[in-house]
Amino acid sequence: AVEFRSGFVMTAVGALVVALVVLGAVSTCRAEHSYPRLANIYFPSLGDADLEMLSRWDLLVLPKRAEDWNHEELEQLHVLNPEIELLAHFPVGYNRNYTAPPINADLSAAIEANGWWMLDTSGEPVTFDGGSIMINMTLECPTNLQGQRLCDWLPEYAAERLYQNGRWDGLFLDYCMDYISWLERWIDHPIDHDLDGQPADAAELDESWRLGMRECVSRLRELVGDDFILMTNGNNTQYDYCDGDTRESFPYMHGGWYENMMDEEHGYLAYEALYRKPTRNIINSIWYGEVTPDGPVRGGEFDREFLLGLTSTLVFGSGYF
């Protein structure tokens, strides 16, 4: 996967090594193992999309609203490429409070009705990243009339709406992370997950969130069975229940290239070894250079960044670029 942003430079030596390795790796792997495997996280409407182009990807993550708006397009993608894997983007750590179409409206209404927003000590929802609102995945979350916390109810909703009809091959569980205390540096008031009016202790908050997330994901796996893909985005330890994770902003999110590849718990190689088999891990590169309406301005720097991500995916594992 590749995103385009602005301002990156790579060393010439590193780029040369990558370029030489990738030429051999791509030619050999494609012939013997159909590598490289490519992923696309695609949020525009399918109604306006070039379906033939989208069908060429091996793994395609689409917004969950396609469930209500784009039945025919989802079916056509499977017709065009019977091997493609279609995953619905389903955040398990936040909600943007969309009111339409039905899948989003129903979800937001349930969160609102049951007091499942994550609140701060001022009593306001914890909002970040331009409008995303944290939801309370902790064990101390309020319960609905059936005695369910959000971590109990959410997997049932996801399975009913996105698994039972057979249109999807899996879910992309965004913000499926073990820790959230790091978020407090970006918000005005401390998190109050247990609604006692006091700032949460960081260690207690993270532990309760981690256990609540595990309750949610393990129950979801139980409901959808072994063959439905559960892929995550966000540092987590849901290795027994999920099929892979995403190296977002590669190679920067967790230090440099070495840390992103080699960290024993959250590095790409750890993901390849720890998640359920067959794994589906994405390396998502970022282009920080100049971009026009027609796409990135191609050149040596772009090619070096592209080849670094692609080569890392191929040489060090069997993931998706």
Side-chain angles (χ1 to χ4, degrees):
V2 183
E3 292 180 7
F4 304 119
R5 300 186 185 174
S6 57
F8 171 79
V9 177
M10 186 186 302
T11 67
V13 173
L16 177 59
V17 172
V18 169
L20 292 174
V21 174
V22 77
L23 292 175
V26 172
S27 61
T28 300
C29 290
R30 284 194 67 83
E32 297 179 2
H33 306 291
S34 297
Y35 289 143
R37 300 192 295 182
L38 303 177
N40 191 347
I41 301 173
Y42 184 85
F43 286 159
S45 171
L46 279 184
D48 303 321
D50 181 342
L51 296 182
E52 195 282 327
M53 180 276 293
L54 285 178
S55 72
R56 300 175 192 172
W57 300 88
D58 300 294
L59 187 149
L60 183 59
V61 179
L62 300 168
K64 63 183 181 294
R65 65 175 180 266
E67 172 62 28
D68 294 311
W69 283 355
N70 301 112
H71 292 172
E72 294 182 2
E73 287 84 353
L74 290 174
E75 293 172 3
Q76 183 64 18
L77 285 168
H78 273 132
V79 170
L80 289 168
N81 179 4
E83 302 301 318
I84 196 172
E85 294 180 327
L86 301 180
L87 274 59
H89 178 262
F90 193 90
V92 291
Y94 71 92
N95 186 278
R96 293 189 71 89
N97 203 20
Y98 297 129
T99 57
I103 191 169
N104 289 321
D106 294 347
L107 181 55
S108 293
I111 295 171
E112 184 72 31
N114 295 295
W116 285 336
W117 299 116
M118 182 71 83
L119 302 183
D120 61 27
T121 52
S122 73
E124 294 298 317
V126 175
T127 304
F128 68 103
D129 193 26
S132 296
I133 309 174
M134 291 297 295
I135 53 181
N136 195 340
M137 192 58 70
T138 70
L139 297 180
E140 287 74 33
C141 177
T143 59
N144 62 12
L145 294 177
Q146 290 72 43
Q148 293 176 304
R149 301 158 300 186
L150 178 59
C151 63
D152 307 311
W153 177 87
L154 192 62
E156 294 183 358
Y157 180 77
E160 177 184 347
R161 294 293 271 110
L162 296 167
Y163 164 69
Q164 293 180 4
N165 58 45
R167 296 189 185 99
W168 299 93
D169 301 297
L171 300 181
F172 184 89
L173 304 176
D174 204 358
Y175 253 65
C176 180
M177 56 186 64
D178 281 352
Y179 316 105
I180 63 164
S181 60
W182 61 269
L183 186 63
E184 293 200 323
R185 78 185 78 166
W186 308 108
I187 58 180
D188 295 332
H189 301 281
I191 293 173
D192 178 20
H193 71 291
D194 57 6
L195 307 181
D196 67 355
Q198 300 301 313
D201 174 80
E204 293 178 2
L205 170 64
D206 286 337
E207 178 70 1
S208 184
W209 174 277
R210 183 185 66 81
L211 293 175
M213 189 65 73
R214 181 164 291 270
E215 288 281 337
C216 176
V217 176
S218 63
R219 175 59 176 156
L220 181 56
R221 172 56 70 192
E222 181 182 332
L223 291 170
V224 301
D226 288 336
D227 296 331
F228 196 67
I229 301 166
L230 297 179
M231 189 171 185
T232 67
N233 188 35
N235 285 353
N236 64 78
T237 51
Q238 309 294 338
Y239 310 128
D240 293 337
Y241 311 112
C242 295
D243 302 290
D245 205 325
T246 308
R247 280 293 76 200
E248 199 173 59
S249 302
F250 183 84
Y252 301 111
M253 180 168 281
H254 304 288
W257 181 90
Y258 186 86
E259 291 80 9
N260 277 273
M261 297 297 295
M262 306 299 181
D263 183 276
E264 63 184 15
E265 184 173 77
H266 297 304
Y268 173 62
L269 292 186
Y271 285 171
E272 289 284 274
L274 294 172
Y275 278 104
R276 296 170 80 247
K277 303 297 184 292
T279 57
R280 293 169 178 85
N281 293 303
I282 292 177
I283 278 186
N284 178 204
S285 291
I286 300 296
W287 167 240
Y288 287 97
E290 185 179 355
V291 177
T292 72
D294 296 325
V297 176
R298 300 293 298 267
E301 290 183 17
F302 176 91
D303 291 340
R304 286 191 290 269
E305 171 68 354
F306 171 81
L307 291 172
L308 177 65
L310 177 61
T311 305
S312 298
T313 310
L314 286 167
V315 173
F316 294 94
S318 57
Y320 294 74
F321 178 64

